[in-house]
Amino acid sequence: MMEDAAKPTAMETLLATLDLEPIEVDIFRGRSPQVGWQRVFGGQVIGQALMAAQRTIETERFVHSLHAYFMRPGDPSVPIVYQVERIRDGSSFNTRRVVAIQHGKAIFALSCSFQVEEPGFDHQIVMPDVPIPERLLGEQQIKEQYLAHAPAAVRKYWEREPPIEIRPVSLTHYFSDKKLDPRQDVWVRATGPVPDNRLYQAAVLAYLSDMTLLDTSLYAHGTSIFDQGLQVASLDHSMWFHRPDKLEDWLLYTQDSPSAFGARGLTRGSLFTRSGVLIASVAQEGLIRKKANE
């Protein structure tokens, strides 16, 4: 009983994963939670690389954009070394480049920019009108009503304890091969407290920004990332941080996929607070390739 009580929550595990170990000037070591995955979740590498860059920035300057490339699958069984290059330190902006290394090879590269907060023009698009999360099925209801007859890959995804809870506005995509419009709306929230610290808030937001995006590009094709006949992987990921948020409540992640071609799918996303404030925008291209018949 005492061991169960001492076991960290999924969010505590995520925060520990983002708390990188400094091993030399501008060099950090990150570890992966041992959850049985064959490769490191892309959002984890984005969040860790961003945290490494943030650790080299003076206070009162915050990330406003990042652009990243995934080059090799991450191995969750060994640490990831993050090397930060200080590209520029200006009067208003700072630029950093981060390379993630495993087994002597680069697996991921990120460029990010930081800015002193200053006043300026202010406008945003309107949040879509969708049902609030309390009117949607929760994870336990999804497990009870749908998972008993769902494919094994779907069950494995929904049955794990996550640091981020998701509530899709529609579940049709997960249990049907019907071709749908390439767009979706998903409510997301942290399953535990996020520190009142802008660095951790940005890193957690970057982490969750990689969730569900790639799947949206498959809506129009009547399949999903759980299809064992597909090879799917994130190729690149860009994110713009518009306004700060403490991640204390649900966020609406509205997504659309304007194109799929050449075994690649592009998806765009917008993250809104429950009250309709746009806090971040995302764009990602991913590999969506049919596996060769064996």
Side-chain angles (χ1 to χ4, degrees), residues 8 58 90 102 117 212 259 291:
E58 62 187 81
Q102 275 188 324
E117 290 193 310
T212 72
S259 175
K291 294 180 181 177

Side-chain angles (χ1 to χ4, degrees), residues 1-8:
M1 293 295 292
M2 292 182 65
E3 291 183 0
D4 291 341
K7 181 180 178 181

Side-chain angles (χ1 to χ4, degrees), residues 136-147 157-168 189 191 211 250:
L136 303 174
L137 292 180
E139 289 188 352
Q140 187 58 40
Q141 293 171 302
I142 292 173
K143 292 175 184 178
E144 293 173 355
Q145 296 188 29
Y146 291 98
L147 290 192
Y157 178 83
W158 282 96
E159 287 175 350
R160 78 194 196 290
E161 182 190 0
I164 306 298
E165 181 180 358
I166 67 172
R167 289 192 184 181
R189 71 170 174 181
T191 56
M211 301 179 70
W250 290 96

Side-chain angles (χ1 to χ4, degrees), residues 258-277:
S259 175
F261 185 78
R264 304 184 313 276
L266 174 67
T267 304
R268 304 173 296 193
S270 299
L271 281 155
F272 297 89
T273 67
R274 182 194 290 265
S275 61
V277 176

Side-chain angles (χ1 to χ4, degrees), residues 38-97:
Q38 294 182 337
R39 61 186 183 184
V40 178
F41 171 53
Q44 174 193 315
V45 186
I46 299 171
Q48 287 182 326
L50 175 58
M51 184 61 80
Q54 291 180 135
R55 294 269 173 91
T56 71
I57 299 293
E58 62 187 81
T59 58
E60 305 310 318
R61 295 185 180 220
F62 302 101
V63 64
H64 70 86
S65 69
L66 63 80
H67 306 276
Y69 282 94
F70 297 90
M71 294 175 283
R72 292 181 176 89
D75 180 354
S77 67
V78 298
I80 305 172
V81 173
Y82 294 91
Q83 297 182 344
V84 182
E85 183 178 359
R86 302 185 185 221
I87 302 297
R88 177 177 183 268
D89 289 314
S91 59
S92 299
F93 291 87
N94 303 71
T95 307
R96 296 290 185 266
R97 182 173 184 266

